[in-house]
Amino acid sequence: MKQKVVSIVGPTAVGKTKLSIEVAKKFNGEIISGDSMQVYKGMDIGTAKIKPEEMEGIPHHLLDLKQPDEAFSVADFKEYVQQYIKEITGRNKVPIIVGGSGLYIQAVLYDYNFSSEKRDDSLTKQLEAELEQHGIDALFKRLQQVDPIQASRIHPNNTRRVIRALEVLEKTGLTMTEYQQQQSDDTPYDSMLIGLTMERDVLYNRINQRIDQMIEDGLIEEVRSLLVEGYENYQSMKAIGYKELIPYVKGEVALEEAIALLKRNSRRYAKRQYTWFKNKMDVKWYHANPEASDDYFAEIFTNLAGFLNR
């Protein structure tokens, strides 16, 4: 029998956290963060990390495991989560992955093999030297030419992933997209993917309100503290919620400009999240109405009970 896994996915601010708590309480579950940034300590407000008082006694995993200067890859995520699934199932509880990092969740559920091609130090150093000499733009443009699909999934400033994608091509003769397509479509889990969707204008308004609340809760102070600790140039600080506010903290732009950029980038990210989950994964979608959560919660609970009891 395959282990049962529940995943709750969807764009930022759609209401995944609230639903996940209710699902965990009703079905004896434990929650695994499916957000690639919530693994970092000290990055709480900008990642919308759940607060201890909001957990309602439900165990949460994959939070606060790394310092912001430590690397954390999709392969690392997969390894951690698959171990958590094994442990949670061993306690006769339901593992519930909750988040919006599509590739990461897909890698877990479909057991993507990211580590069979070991790093080639000489290739890595060669590409790093090119990065130093020509800049990330040149490497990213090369990746766009040889593997536009993979390039569309990577932020242009994510030097680690750009180098890794080019390294795989140099070493195997396959683009990262081709390499990933060789992975099996089979899954080691019996999984149910619950997706939350919402009217676009309602969602965008919620995103804007969430960011206003983040600012009120101390996001600027959080970013300033991370800069003081010397984390500015690490990959973690390229995340939405941090990179937009760094110029303000350094006195380079006005606060209103920084916040407007953060809201715009967050709305665009939500759109990309929708596109990923709709195109890449077999998700059962539910319309999330913030004014009537009991209605769609009830439908989800009914379907989930049938899944867990079959």
Side-chain angles (χ1 to χ4, degrees):
M1 292 286 290
K2 292 182 178 180
Q3 295 171 310
K4 289 186 180 291
V5 177
V6 175
S7 295
I8 299 174
V9 302
T12 183
V14 78
K16 298 184 296 293
T17 298
K18 180 181 178 182
L19 173 62
S20 70
I21 293 293
E22 296 306 314
V23 168
K25 290 194 297 186
K26 189 171 184 66
F27 295 99
N28 192 29
E30 296 187 19
I31 293 171
I32 304 169
S33 171
D35 185 301
S36 61
M37 295 303 301
Q38 292 183 352
V39 70
Y40 290 113
K41 299 176 183 177
M43 303 183 75
D44 303 329
I45 300 172
T47 64
K49 193 179 296 176
I50 188 170
K51 300 173 184 175
E53 61 269 23
E54 296 170 335
M55 295 180 181
E56 298 192 35
I58 302 299
H60 281 65
H61 306 278
L62 208 58
L63 301 174
D64 300 323
L65 295 184
K66 300 284 185 179
Q67 295 294 342
D69 58 352
E70 292 184 90
F72 186 69
S73 68
V74 62
D76 296 327
F77 178 88
K78 174 194 158 191
E79 184 177 348
Y80 272 106
V81 173
Q82 290 190 334
Q83 181 61 33
Y84 286 133
I85 290 172
K86 182 178 179 182
E87 293 172 359
I88 292 167
T89 302
R91 292 192 283 271
N92 293 316
K93 292 191 172 185
V94 178
I96 306 165
I97 306 173
V98 183
S101 297
L103 174 63
Y104 285 64
I105 294 172
Q106 189 180 32
V108 170
L109 296 182
Y110 291 90
D111 199 23
Y112 279 10
N113 183 3
F114 290 97
S115 58
S116 62
E117 288 300 329
K118 300 299 183 184
R119 301 305 297 256
D120 185 318
D121 288 342
S122 61
L123 267 178
T124 302
K125 289 177 181 177
Q126 176 186 325
L127 289 165
E128 287 175 344
E130 291 182 37
L131 173 67
E132 186 72 23
Q133 183 175 359
H134 302 294
I136 186 59
D137 287 348
L139 290 186
F140 188 73
K141 285 178 182 176
R142 188 198 308 177
L143 180 61
Q144 285 179 311
Q145 291 171 351
V146 297
D147 191 356
I149 294 175
Q150 186 66 16
S152 71
R153 299 172 180 168
I154 299 175
H155 190 280
N157 291 333
N158 192 330
T159 56
R160 179 176 54 82
R161 288 187 64 191
V162 170
I163 286 176
R164 177 57 173 160
L166 291 172
E167 183 183 318
V168 168
L169 176 61
E170 292 283 343
K171 187 173 181 183
T172 68
L174 298 174
T175 66
M176 184 69 87
T177 300
E178 292 169 333
Y179 185 72
Q180 292 174 1
Q181 286 173 345
Q182 290 185 349
Q183 310 293 338
S184 172
D185 287 333
D186 192 22
T187 170
Y189 302 110
D190 184 8
S191 61
M192 177 176 177
L193 280 87
I194 299 167
L196 295 184
T197 185
M198 185 177 284
E199 300 293 344
R200 180 172 295 184
D201 58 339
V202 177
L203 178 64
Y204 285 1
N205 187 52
R206 283 168 64 91
I207 289 172
N208 291 340
Q209 291 177 347
R210 169 181 276 192
I211 290 169
D212 289 337
Q213 187 63 52
M214 286 178 171
I215 298 298
E216 188 174 322
D217 289 344
L219 178 56
I220 293 170
E221 289 73 20
E222 181 171 276
V223 173
R224 182 177 288 114
S225 175
L226 290 163
L227 292 183
V228 168
E229 292 179 45
Y231 296 127
E232 178 180 355
N233 296 317
Y234 288 96
Q235 189 57 45
S236 59
M237 294 294 281
K238 303 294 192 295
I240 294 173
Y242 296 91
K243 63 187 176 72
E244 296 86 358
L245 293 176
I246 289 174
Y248 166 70
V249 172
K250 295 172 71 174
E252 297 170 356
V253 301
L255 178 59
E256 293 77 11
E257 181 182 347
I259 293 175
L261 181 61
L262 173 52
K263 289 179 177 179
R264 188 200 71 179
N265 287 349
S266 297
R267 293 191 299 267
R268 289 180 174 178
Y269 178 55
K271 186 177 180 180
R272 293 198 301 273
Q273 287 175 301
Y274 265 137
T275 301
W276 176 276
F277 287 116
K278 288 181 177 179
N279 292 342
K280 299 290 185 181
M281 304 182 77
D282 185 18
V283 178
K284 169 65 175 173
W285 292 98
Y286 298 86
H287 182 77
N289 180 355
E291 306 301 323
S293 59
D294 289 348
D295 294 342
Y296 70 90
F297 277 20
E299 182 183 1
I300 290 171
F301 293 162
T302 298
N303 294 340
L304 195 47
F307 163 72
L308 293 172
N309 292 326
R310 75 186 181 195

